[in-house]
Amino acid sequence: MDKPIFLVGFMGSGKTTWGKKLAAKLDIPFVDLDHEIVASMGMSIPEYFEKFGEEKFRLLEREFLQKQEQREAIISTGGGTPCYYDNMEWITQHGLALYLYHTPKSLWARLSKSDVNKRPLLKGFSEDELLTFIENKLEERAPFYEQAQLKFEQIHTPLEEIIALIQQYQSTTR
């Protein structure tokens, strides 16, 4: 494998957790796009959103995404990364995209347990509002996520099965 594997999916879908597991198992680097941005900017993503707005963040995110082109790595993208500009098209042209699929209720259960204030798009939602937001946003983003070459249900798919899917896909595209 000489191209990156991009993990795409909604916030809270496990891209960072699965990315680390896959990278360790495949013995390649792991890159968390959000962490790269935070390290470079010297501020958190919520701080960046507040200071510069979402549009500037999405441009910055795109710039960091495209720096990954020649990297053999597992790259965890932000939940919105594939949904802006031509990012998803770029991802599928320059690497392998894996969509970590969850139902809205599964995402709600995961996100309602986390600190939603660390996620700029979720700030201030009640539990009911959070589920409605997830349902609506997932419906809006699904057409982008669905462009991934591979999709798996994160809750029910063992790591070994995911690796086998990756290897099978790579062997048919060489």
Side-chain angles (χ1 to χ4, degrees):
M1 174 183 55
D2 55 350
K3 291 185 175 184
I5 296 172
F6 296 95
L7 301 182
V8 300
F10 203 78
M11 65 181 96
S13 63
K15 296 179 300 287
T16 299
T17 301
W18 279 91
K20 289 176 181 177
K21 289 178 185 179
L22 286 167
K25 197 78 168 168
L26 295 171
D27 196 28
I28 59 176
F30 170 72
V31 176
D32 185 307
L33 208 56
D34 285 346
H35 291 164
E36 296 268 311
I37 293 169
V38 166
S40 175
M41 300 315 301
M43 67 179 76
S44 70
I45 292 173
E47 290 170 330
Y48 194 91
F49 259 66
E50 194 170 307
K51 190 169 184 176
F52 301 107
E54 184 176 6
E55 179 66 23
K56 288 236 189 249
F57 174 76
R58 297 302 178 187
L59 288 168
L60 181 66
E61 183 178 53
R62 183 171 195 256
E63 178 185 320
F64 274 78
L65 172 67
Q66 292 186 358
K67 287 180 183 177
Q68 310 305 317
E69 177 181 6
Q70 297 302 321
R71 248 179 148 158
E72 179 182 40
I74 302 290
I75 300 167
S76 170
T77 66
T81 306
C83 309
Y84 290 86
Y85 310 108
D86 62 348
N87 288 351
M88 193 61 189
E89 182 181 341
W90 187 92
I91 286 169
T92 57
Q93 287 177 355
H94 293 89
L96 170 61
L98 288 173
Y99 172 25
L100 281 71
Y101 171 78
H102 281 269
T103 65
K105 285 210 179 204
S106 169
L107 289 165
W108 174 83
R110 295 167 65 91
L111 289 168
S112 62
K113 292 177 190 169
S114 70
D115 183 358
V116 294
N117 290 321
K118 290 183 179 177
R119 299 179 186 272
L121 296 178
L122 302 183
K123 209 170 189 174
F125 283 133
S126 71
E127 286 192 2
D128 288 342
E129 291 169 333
L130 178 60
L131 180 57
T132 300
F133 172 82
I134 291 167
E135 290 169 341
N136 293 337
K137 192 58 91 170
L138 190 57
E139 185 177 332
E140 174 188 310
R141 291 179 172 183
F144 297 97
Y145 298 153
E146 294 285 344
Q147 293 174 42
Q149 293 100 324
L150 297 174
K151 172 183 172 179
F152 68 94
E153 191 172 349
Q154 187 267 323
I155 293 175
H156 300 293
T157 311
L159 182 63
E160 293 72 25
E161 191 175 317
I162 297 165
I163 291 171
L165 284 171
I166 292 168
Q167 291 169 339
Q168 180 182 8
Y169 178 84
Q170 290 173 333
S171 70
T172 61
T173 58
R174 289 179 196 217

